[in-house]
């Protein structure tokens, strides 16, 4: 583990970014964007936030590629469940 | 030796062994594996007893069976099993068999016993949670057992616990305390499985001995490793479902309960939930679960077949690839259990496609087993017989799976005895044969003694023929529409014609069940009176047979952990002195580990 | 002795996956925490997926901007401000956690302790906020089976998901406290590795991560 990965500067930068996009997500809501655009925006922001936390705070960015894949790829499966449920919910009477 | 292993070694040597720390709260993976095995065997007896009760009821509906009253008390007053308790017995039978016999008996037993021995480690990475894993499982067992003794009887919503039966405490007797205990027990089981999976995965990845690449691991380790990954990802989803079901049951939420439901004459006030959601959640877990039990059995089968056919396993890499492919696909096929739930046909066709795709890696496995057997010098040990029996059962059950995977056919066959036959072949009996093959094969390493080969063979033939006699006729009943989960078939003419067949199946069940006594006597008898085993009685090439003692102690190897130079199944290779080469054989490489 | 075969064998033995090494370059402890996190993510994922299904199948899902308007002491309605603040606090505690890990790798015990303390403080404030919020909407009449804003599943999923997350925060706080005590007593120093702090940190960041998604899907969407 090299010093640079744990450097305070990077953390502060990430922290500021996190706060900035949290606020961004928060203030778009009252703007009255069309629903789908608003939702898209919000979800992208959530993914960005999640990405920052995982990559920098949890350090995943600095791990070996094999480790990164072994953690991230399985998540596709739970997303598949969510997609199937949403599809079921919108296309049939439940 | 890596530093992680070295520190483990130190821990072990300072570990004083009293009776309790050796046999009860043992940290030794081998003892924990045996604990799992014995517990699973006890559960198997209970599960089998329940199947007898069901079968006797189905063969002789309405007749008084005095022993029922003696054994089951209020569940069978006057010697006649009550309908609501038939369903309860069936639910407990399914649950016990799937979770406590097959999952614990395969992943728990062989995962624990074999992983460190076969990859060359002194123990699991984290022995403490390994011990906790067994005791959480034990607690789950106790809770499940308790539910037989509550006033309203055990859970009765099937092993799939479909709501509303499972969610409304007032629906049937078993929906009350029995179902709550069932959910609690399953939640504990999930925790136990999580502890196990975490340990297996990191142990396989990080604690392999020098030279033990992934491509040199025996297939049993591969299979258990992949099953552990499946468990890690599938069980938490069931946990979420179980929590929601408990909330429905006890805090009156309506996650799984639709609006407008009547119990008796009373309209219930639930609103907005969806029983279909439970089916999705359950089967997202449920299908991987069937592979959690199947894969280790297939791995054991591969290894035993290679060893006892004295040939390298045909297509070792293809075997691993097919395990991986099956594991991945198993997560995206769950909808094939729900074709008749009114599922969107497009979604249904996606599930048909993925389901039929599983036939490909499955066929690869069967092909490789057969080609390994082809012209092998087959040693018909009991373990080998059970492994070959597994191949047969897997083919039979796999073929009916192709029928059921097609939505249009499944719509006819769903919830009939065809399904009962299918899953008993491919999951029930095949996995059970995996356990038997594993026990016969590794018994010498577990207890340092041999089991009787002759009695093992007799046990095999009775069981193998028995399984076919019991379950094969069910296909015919199913194709004519005889429904599953029925208490008696006396009401409809088309089901009544099967009276004779039902009686036949039941007699076969009783004989096959009785044949298991042979196994039990052989197993427990050999533990104490069996012939003393050599270190490597089957002349196998894998690491566990290189221990200093036939029955290794804590730490597995007295001296250093051996270094590995070659693949796991090298038999009949032309350049060897004998017809096998141990993985540790460094001929041709010098002493590379001594730097 | 075949020279090529020996070389080949040597290459295999010395490769990352050749055994006797940690192939991902991390200890089994840390990897175990990682895969536990993946597993736990599946539980949360299942909850959120179920919530998604309820959301799309229920007509008239309440508008969260009208439900979560309370803010202590200011006396006026401030839609979503309070949750935004909670999110802010949790992100800050993640930040201090990262600093604690970084300090402990520099063997700076006092600093590590200070940041761990701040993290615990942040987590505790978060929990208190959650208690306030629960109290508030229960006061408004929300229960597991009904609520004044419409669809009963709204409050049921709310309590279930935030409750399950809250339990994670709580267990995280317990772990953090134990870790802080260990740091204080010099446990990691004696062991020669502060990895324990990093592992607990992973868990804590994960709890934060889950909140980001709960906040997004439950409150903002
Ligand atoms: C000794 C051999 C066995 C016999 C005679 C037997 C017999 C039965 C019978 C009669 C049923 C009820 C069918 C119905 O009423 O619809 C049943 C259900 C079931 N059995 Fe077995 N069984 C045996 C072994 C196993 C094994 C080893 C497994 C492990 C997978 C297993 C798993 C199940 C399951 C999952 C169910 C369905 C329970 C449900 O519908 O919820 N059985 N079995
Ligand atoms: Cu399936």
């Amino acid at each position: 583990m090299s010093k640079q990965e744990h450097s305070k500067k990077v953390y502060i930068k990430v922290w500021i970014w996190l706060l900035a996009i949290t606020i961004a997500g928060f203030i778009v809501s009252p703007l009255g964007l069309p629903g789908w655009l608003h939702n898209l925006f919000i979800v992208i922001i959530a993914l960005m936030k999640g990405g920052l936390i995982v990559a920098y705070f949890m350090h995943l960015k600095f791990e070996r590629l094999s480790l990164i894949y072994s953690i991230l790829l399985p998540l596709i499966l739970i997303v598949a469940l969510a997609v199937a449920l949403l599809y079921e919910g919108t296309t049939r009477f439940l | 030796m890596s530093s992680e292993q070295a520190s483990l070694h130190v821990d072990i040597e300072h570990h004083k062994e009293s009776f309790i720390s050796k046999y009860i709260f043992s940290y030794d993976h081998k003892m924990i594996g045996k604990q799992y095995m014995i517990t699973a065997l006890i559960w198997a007896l209970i599960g089998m007893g329940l199947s007898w009760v069901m079968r006797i009821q189905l063969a002789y509906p309405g007749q008084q069976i005095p022993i029922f009253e003696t054994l089951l008390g209020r569940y069978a007053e006057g010697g006649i099993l009550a309908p609501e308790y038939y369903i309860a017995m069936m639910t407990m039978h399914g649950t016990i068999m799937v979770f406590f016999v097959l999952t614990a008996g395969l992943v728990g037993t062989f995962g624990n016993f074999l992983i460190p021995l076969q990859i060359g480690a002194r123990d699991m990475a984290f022995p403490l949670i390994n011990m906790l894993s067994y005791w959480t499982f034990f607690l789950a067992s106790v809770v499940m057992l308790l539910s037989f003794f509550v006033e309203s009887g055990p859970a009765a919503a099937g092993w799939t616990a479909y709501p509303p039966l499972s969610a409304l405490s007032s629906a049937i007797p078993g929906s009350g305390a029995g179902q709550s205990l069932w959910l609690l027990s399953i939640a504990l089981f999930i925790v136990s499985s999580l502890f196990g999976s975490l340990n297996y995965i990191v142990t396989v990845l990080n604690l392999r001995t020098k030279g033990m690449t992934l491509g040199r691991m025996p297939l049993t380790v591969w299979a258990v490793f992949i099953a552990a990954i499946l468990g890690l990802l599938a069980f938490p989803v069931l946990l979420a479902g179980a929590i929601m079901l408990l909330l429905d049951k006890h805090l009156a939420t309506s996650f799984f309960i639709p609006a407008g439901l009547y119990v008796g004459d009373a309209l219930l006030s639930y609103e907005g939930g969806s029983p279909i959601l439970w089916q999705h959640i359950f089967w997202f877990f449920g299908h991987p679960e069937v592979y959690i039990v199947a894969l280790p059995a297939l791995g054991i089968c591969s290894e035993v077949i290679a060893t006892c056919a004295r040939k390298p396993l045909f297509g070792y890499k293809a075997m691993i690839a097919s395990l991986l492919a099956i594991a991945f696909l198993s997560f995206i096929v769950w909808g094939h259990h729900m074709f008749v739930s009114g599922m969107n046909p497009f979604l249904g066709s996606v599930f048909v496609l993925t389901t039929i795709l599983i036939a490909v890696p499955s066929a690869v496995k069967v092909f490789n087993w057969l080609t390994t057997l082809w012209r092998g010098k087959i040693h018909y040990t009991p373990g080998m017989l059970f492994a070959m029996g597994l191949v047969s059962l897997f083919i039979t059950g796999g073929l009916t799976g192709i029928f059921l995977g097609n939505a249009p056919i499944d719509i006819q066959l769903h919830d009939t005895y065809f399904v009962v036959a299918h899953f008993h072949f491919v999951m029930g009996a095949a996995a059970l044969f995996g356990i038997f093959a594993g026990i016969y094969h590794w018994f010498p390493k577990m207890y340092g003694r041999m089991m009787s080969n002759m009695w093992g063979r007799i046990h095999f033939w009775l069981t193998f023929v028995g399984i076919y006699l019991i379950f094969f006729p069910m296909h015919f009943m199913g194709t004519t529409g005889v429904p599953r989960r029925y208490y008696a078939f006396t009401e409809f003419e088309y089901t009544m014609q099967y009276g004779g067949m039902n009686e036949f199946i039941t007699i076969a069940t009783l004989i096959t069940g009785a044949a298991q006594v042979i196994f039990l006597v052989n197993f427990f008898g050999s533990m104490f009176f069996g012939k003393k085993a050599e270190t490597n009685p089957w002349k196998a090439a894998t690491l566990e047979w290189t221990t200093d003692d036939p029955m290794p102690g804590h730490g597995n190897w007295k001296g250093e952990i051996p270094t590995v130079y070659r693949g796991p199944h090298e038999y009949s290779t032309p350049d060897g002195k004998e017809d096998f080469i141990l993985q540790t054989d460094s001929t041709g490489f010098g002493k590379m580990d001594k730097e | 002795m075949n020279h090529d075969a020996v070389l080949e064998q040597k290459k295999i033995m010395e490769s990352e996956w050749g055994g006797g090494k940690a192939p991902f370059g991390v200890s089994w402890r840390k990897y175990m925490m990682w895969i536990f996190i993946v597993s736990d993510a599946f539980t949360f994922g299942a909850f959120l997926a179920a919530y998604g299904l309820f959301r799309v199948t229920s007509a008239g899902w309440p508008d969260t901007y009208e439900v979560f308007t309370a803010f202590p002491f200011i006396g006026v309605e401030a839609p979503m401000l309070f949750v935004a603040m909670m999110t802010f606090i949790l992100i800050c505690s993640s930040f201090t956690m990262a600093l604690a890990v970084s300090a402990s790798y520099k063997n700076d015990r006092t600093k590590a302790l200070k940041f761990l303390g701040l993290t615990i403080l942040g987590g505790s404030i978060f929990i208190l906020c959650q208690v306030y919020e629960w109290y508030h909407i229960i006061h408004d009449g929300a229960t597991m089976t009904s609520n004044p804003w419409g669809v009963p599943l709204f409050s049921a999923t709310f309590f279930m998901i935030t409750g399950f997350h809250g339990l994670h925060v709580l267990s995280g706080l317990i772990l953090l406290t134990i870790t802080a005590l260990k740091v204080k007593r010099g446990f990691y120093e004696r062991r020669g590795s502060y990895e324990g702090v990093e592992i607990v940190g992973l868990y804590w960041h994960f709890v934060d991560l889950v909140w980001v998604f709960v906040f997004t899907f439950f409150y903002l969407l």
Side-chain angles (χ1 to χ4, degrees), chain A residues 70 73-85 87-94, chain B residues 233 237 272-274 276-277 280-281 284 328 331-332 334 338 341-344 346-347 351:
Chain A
S70 78
L73 286 183
L75 298 176
I76 294 172
L77 299 171
I78 194 71
V79 174
L81 175 67
V83 169
L85 288 185
Y87 184 74
E88 278 271 88
T90 40
T91 55
R92 74 189 260 201
F93 180 76
L94 279 175
Chain B
L233 303 180
V237 176
S274 164
I276 302 292
L277 172 61
H280 277 293
I281 288 181
F284 183 87
F328 168 68
F331 274 103
I332 50 174
W334 78 88
M338 300 170 60
S341 72
M343 165 181 279
N344 178 310
F346 171 71
L347 196 57
F351 283 124

Coordinates of all heavy atoms in Angstrom, one line a residue, chain A residues 70 73-85 87-94, chain B residues 233 237 272-274 276-277 280-281 284 328 331-332 334 338 341-344 346-347 351:
Chain A
S70 N -13.9 -9.5 -9.4 CA -14.6 -10.5 -8.5 C -15.6 -9.9 -7.6 O -16.5 -10.5 -7.1 CB -13.6 -11.3 -7.7 OG -13.1 -10.6 -6.6
L73 N -18.5 -7.8 -10.7 CA -19.3 -8.6 -11.7 C -20.5 -9.3 -11.1 O -21.6 -9.3 -11.7 CB -18.4 -9.6 -12.4 CG -17.5 -8.9 -13.5 CD1 -16.7 -10.0 -14.2 CD2 -18.3 -8.1 -14.5
P74 N -20.4 -9.9 -9.9 CA -21.6 -10.6 -9.3 C -22.8 -9.7 -9.2 O -23.9 -10.1 -9.2 CB -21.1 -11.1 -8.0 CG -19.6 -11.2 -8.1 CD -19.2 -10.1 -9.0
L75 N -22.5 -8.4 -9.0 CA -23.6 -7.5 -8.7 C -24.6 -7.4 -9.9 O -25.8 -7.1 -9.7 CB -23.1 -6.0 -8.4 CG -22.2 -6.0 -7.2 CD1 -21.7 -4.6 -7.0 CD2 -23.0 -6.3 -6.0
I76 N -24.1 -7.8 -11.1 CA -25.0 -7.9 -12.2 C -26.3 -8.7 -11.9 O -27.4 -8.5 -12.4 CB -24.3 -8.5 -13.5 CG1 -23.2 -7.5 -13.9 CG2 -25.2 -8.7 -14.6 CD1 -22.3 -8.1 -15.0
L77 N -26.0 -9.8 -11.2 CA -27.1 -10.8 -10.9 C -28.2 -10.1 -10.1 O -29.4 -10.4 -10.4 CB -26.6 -12.0 -10.2 CG -25.5 -12.7 -10.9 CD1 -24.8 -13.8 -10.1 CD2 -26.1 -13.4 -12.2
I78 N -27.9 -9.3 -9.1 CA -29.0 -8.8 -8.3 C -29.7 -7.7 -9.1 O -30.9 -7.5 -9.0 CB -28.5 -8.3 -7.0 CG1 -29.6 -8.0 -6.0 CG2 -27.6 -7.0 -7.1 CD1 -30.3 -9.2 -5.5
V79 N -28.9 -7.0 -10.0 CA -29.6 -6.1 -10.9 C -30.5 -6.8 -11.8 O -31.6 -6.3 -12.1 CB -28.5 -5.3 -11.7 CG1 -29.2 -4.4 -12.7 CG2 -27.6 -4.5 -10.8
A80 N -30.2 -8.0 -12.2 CA -31.1 -8.8 -13.1 C -32.4 -9.0 -12.4 O -33.5 -8.9 -12.9 CB -30.4 -10.1 -13.5
L81 N -32.3 -9.3 -11.1 CA -33.5 -9.6 -10.3 C -34.4 -8.3 -10.3 O -35.6 -8.3 -10.5 CB -33.2 -10.0 -8.9 CG -34.4 -10.1 -8.0 CD1 -35.3 -11.3 -8.4 CD2 -34.0 -10.4 -6.5
A82 N -33.7 -7.2 -10.0 CA -34.5 -5.9 -10.0 C -35.1 -5.6 -11.3 O -36.3 -5.2 -11.4 CB -33.5 -4.8 -9.6
V83 N -34.4 -5.8 -12.4 CA -34.9 -5.5 -13.7 C -36.1 -6.4 -14.0 O -37.2 -6.0 -14.4 CB -33.9 -5.7 -14.8 CG1 -34.5 -5.7 -16.2 CG2 -32.8 -4.7 -14.7
A84 N -36.0 -7.7 -13.7 CA -37.1 -8.6 -13.9 C -38.3 -8.2 -13.1 O -39.5 -8.2 -13.6 CB -36.7 -10.1 -13.6
L85 N -38.1 -7.8 -11.9 CA -39.3 -7.4 -11.0 C -39.9 -6.2 -11.6 O -41.2 -6.1 -11.6 CB -38.8 -7.2 -9.6 CG -38.5 -8.5 -8.8 CD1 -38.2 -8.1 -7.4 CD2 -39.6 -9.5 -8.9
Y87 N -39.9 -5.2 -14.6 CA -40.6 -5.5 -15.9 C -41.9 -6.2 -15.5 O -42.9 -5.9 -16.1 CB -39.6 -6.5 -16.7 CG -40.2 -6.8 -18.0 CD1 -40.2 -5.9 -19.0 CD2 -40.7 -8.1 -18.2 CE1 -40.7 -6.2 -20.3 CE2 -41.2 -8.5 -19.5 CZ -41.2 -7.5 -20.5 OH -41.7 -7.9 -21.7
E88 N -41.9 -7.2 -14.6 CA -43.1 -7.8 -14.2 C -44.1 -6.8 -13.7 O -45.3 -6.8 -14.1 CB -42.8 -8.8 -13.1 CG -42.3 -10.1 -13.5 CD -43.4 -11.1 -13.7 OE1 -43.9 -11.1 -14.9 OE2 -43.8 -11.8 -12.8
G89 N -43.6 -5.9 -12.9 CA -44.5 -4.9 -12.3 C -45.2 -4.0 -13.3 O -46.3 -3.6 -13.1
T90 N -44.5 -3.7 -14.4 CA -45.0 -2.8 -15.3 C -45.8 -3.5 -16.5 O -46.5 -2.8 -17.2 CB -43.9 -1.9 -15.9 OG1 -42.8 -2.7 -16.2 CG2 -43.5 -0.8 -15.0
T91 N -45.6 -4.8 -16.6 CA -46.3 -5.4 -17.8 C -47.4 -6.3 -17.4 O -48.0 -6.9 -18.3 CB -45.3 -6.2 -18.6 OG1 -44.6 -7.2 -17.8 CG2 -44.2 -5.3 -19.2
R92 N -47.7 -6.6 -16.2 CA -48.8 -7.5 -15.9 C -49.5 -7.0 -14.6 O -48.9 -6.3 -13.8 CB -48.4 -8.9 -15.7 CG -47.6 -9.1 -14.4 CD -47.0 -10.5 -14.4 NE -47.8 -11.4 -13.7 CZ -47.4 -12.6 -13.2 NH1 -46.1 -12.9 -13.3 NH2 -48.1 -13.4 -12.5
F93 N -50.7 -7.5 -14.4 CA -51.4 -7.2 -13.2 C -50.9 -8.0 -12.1 O -50.9 -9.3 -12.2 CB -52.9 -7.4 -13.4 CG -53.7 -7.1 -12.2 CD1 -54.0 -5.8 -11.9 CD2 -54.2 -8.1 -11.4 CE1 -54.7 -5.5 -10.7 CE2 -54.9 -7.8 -10.3 CZ -55.2 -6.5 -9.9
L94 N -50.5 -7.4 -11.0 CA -50.0 -8.2 -9.8 C -50.9 -8.0 -8.6 O -51.3 -6.9 -8.4 CB -48.6 -7.8 -9.5 CG -47.5 -8.4 -10.4 CD1 -46.1 -7.9 -10.0 CD2 -47.5 -9.9 -10.2
Chain B
L233 N -24.2 -15.7 -2.7 CA -25.0 -14.7 -3.4 C -26.5 -15.0 -3.4 O -27.4 -14.2 -3.6 CB -24.6 -14.7 -4.9 CG -23.1 -14.3 -5.1 CD1 -22.8 -14.3 -6.6 CD2 -22.8 -13.0 -4.5
V237 N -30.6 -13.3 -0.5 CA -31.9 -12.9 -1.1 C -33.1 -13.6 -0.4 O -34.1 -13.0 -0.1 CB -31.9 -13.2 -2.6 CG1 -33.2 -12.9 -3.3 CG2 -30.8 -12.4 -3.3
G272 N -52.4 -4.4 -1.4 CA -51.3 -4.0 -2.2 C -50.1 -5.0 -2.4 O -49.3 -4.7 -3.2
G273 N -50.1 -6.1 -1.7 CA -48.9 -6.9 -1.8 C -49.0 -7.9 -3.0 O -50.0 -7.9 -3.7
S274 N -48.0 -8.7 -3.2 CA -48.0 -9.6 -4.3 C -47.3 -10.9 -3.9 O -46.2 -11.0 -3.7 CB -47.1 -8.9 -5.4 OG -46.8 -9.9 -6.4
I276 N -46.7 -13.1 -6.0 CA -45.8 -13.4 -7.1 C -44.4 -13.0 -6.7 O -43.4 -13.6 -7.1 CB -46.3 -12.8 -8.4 CG1 -47.7 -13.3 -8.7 CG2 -45.3 -13.1 -9.5 CD1 -47.7 -14.7 -9.1
L277 N -44.3 -11.8 -6.0 CA -43.0 -11.3 -5.6 C -42.3 -12.4 -4.7 O -41.1 -12.6 -4.9 CB -43.2 -10.0 -4.7 CG -42.0 -9.5 -4.1 CD1 -40.9 -9.1 -5.2 CD2 -42.3 -8.3 -3.2
H280 N -40.8 -14.9 -7.0 CA -39.5 -14.4 -7.6 C -38.4 -14.5 -6.7 O -37.3 -15.0 -7.0 CB -39.7 -13.0 -8.1 CG -40.3 -12.8 -9.4 ND1 -39.8 -13.3 -10.6 CD2 -41.5 -12.3 -9.8 CE1 -40.6 -13.0 -11.6 NE2 -41.7 -12.5 -11.2
I281 N -38.6 -13.9 -5.5 CA -37.5 -13.9 -4.5 C -37.1 -15.3 -4.1 O -35.9 -15.7 -4.1 CB -37.9 -13.1 -3.3 CG1 -38.0 -11.6 -3.6 CG2 -36.9 -13.3 -2.1 CD1 -38.3 -10.7 -2.5
F284 N -35.3 -17.0 -7.0 CA -34.0 -16.4 -7.3 C -32.9 -17.1 -6.4 O -31.8 -17.3 -6.8 CB -34.0 -14.9 -7.1 CG -32.7 -14.2 -7.4 CD1 -32.4 -13.8 -8.7 CD2 -31.7 -14.1 -6.4 CE1 -31.2 -13.2 -9.0 CE2 -30.4 -13.5 -6.8 CZ -30.2 -13.1 -8.0
F328 N -23.2 -19.8 -13.3 CA -23.7 -18.5 -13.7 C -25.2 -18.6 -14.2 O -26.0 -17.8 -13.8 CB -22.8 -18.0 -14.9 CG -23.4 -16.8 -15.6 CD1 -23.5 -15.6 -14.9 CD2 -23.9 -16.9 -16.9 CE1 -24.1 -14.5 -15.6 CE2 -24.4 -15.8 -17.5 CZ -24.5 -14.6 -16.9
F331 N -28.4 -18.5 -12.0 CA -29.0 -17.3 -11.4 C -30.0 -16.6 -12.3 O -30.7 -15.7 -11.9 CB -27.9 -16.3 -11.1 CG -27.3 -16.5 -9.7 CD1 -26.0 -17.1 -9.6 CD2 -28.0 -16.1 -8.6 CE1 -25.5 -17.3 -8.4 CE2 -27.4 -16.3 -7.4 CZ -26.2 -16.9 -7.2
I332 N -30.0 -17.1 -13.6 CA -30.9 -16.4 -14.5 C -32.0 -17.3 -15.1 O -32.4 -17.1 -16.2 CB -30.2 -15.6 -15.6 CG1 -29.1 -16.6 -16.3 CG2 -29.5 -14.4 -15.0 CD1 -28.4 -15.9 -17.4
W334 N -34.5 -18.6 -12.9 CA -35.5 -18.9 -11.8 C -36.9 -18.9 -12.3 O -37.8 -19.5 -11.7 CB -35.3 -17.9 -10.6 CG -35.8 -16.5 -10.8 CD1 -37.1 -16.2 -10.5 CD2 -35.2 -15.4 -11.3 NE1 -37.2 -14.8 -10.8 CE2 -36.1 -14.3 -11.3 CE3 -33.9 -15.1 -11.8 CZ2 -35.8 -13.0 -11.7 CZ3 -33.5 -13.8 -12.2 CH2 -34.5 -12.8 -12.2
M338 N -42.1 -20.6 -12.6 CA -43.2 -19.7 -12.5 C -44.0 -19.6 -13.8 O -44.8 -18.6 -14.0 CB -42.8 -18.3 -12.0 CG -42.1 -18.3 -10.7 SD -41.3 -16.8 -10.3 CE -42.7 -15.7 -10.4
S341 N -47.6 -18.9 -13.5 CA -48.0 -17.9 -12.6 C -48.6 -16.7 -13.3 O -48.9 -15.7 -12.7 CB -46.9 -17.4 -11.7 OG -46.0 -16.7 -12.5
G342 N -48.8 -16.8 -14.6 CA -49.3 -15.7 -15.4 C -48.3 -14.8 -15.8 O -48.5 -13.6 -16.1
M343 N -47.0 -15.3 -15.9 CA -45.9 -14.5 -16.2 C -46.0 -14.0 -17.7 O -46.5 -14.6 -18.5 CB -44.7 -15.4 -16.1 CG -43.4 -14.9 -16.7 SD -42.1 -16.1 -16.4 CE -41.7 -15.7 -14.8
N344 N -45.5 -12.8 -17.9 CA -45.4 -12.2 -19.2 C -44.7 -13.2 -20.1 O -43.6 -13.6 -19.9 CB -44.6 -10.9 -19.1 CG -44.5 -10.2 -20.4 OD1 -44.0 -10.8 -21.4 ND2 -44.8 -8.9 -20.5
F346 N -43.2 -13.0 -22.8 CA -41.8 -12.6 -23.3 C -40.8 -13.0 -22.2 O -39.8 -13.6 -22.5 CB -41.7 -11.1 -23.6 CG -40.3 -10.7 -23.9 CD1 -39.7 -11.1 -25.1 CD2 -39.6 -10.0 -23.0 CE1 -38.4 -10.8 -25.3 CE2 -38.3 -9.6 -23.2 CZ -37.7 -10.0 -24.4
L347 N -41.1 -12.6 -21.0 CA -40.2 -12.9 -19.9 C -40.0 -14.4 -19.8 O -38.9 -15.0 -19.6 CB -40.7 -12.3 -18.6 CG -39.7 -12.2 -17.4 CD1 -38.5 -11.4 -17.8 CD2 -40.4 -11.6 -16.2
F351 N -36.7 -17.0 -20.0 CA -36.3 -18.0 -19.0 C -36.3 -19.4 -19.7 O -35.5 -20.3 -19.3 CB -37.3 -18.0 -17.8 CG -37.1 -16.9 -16.9 CD1 -38.1 -16.0 -16.5 CD2 -35.9 -16.8 -16.3 CE1 -37.8 -15.0 -15.7 CE2 -35.6 -15.7 -15.4 CZ -36.6 -14.8 -15.1

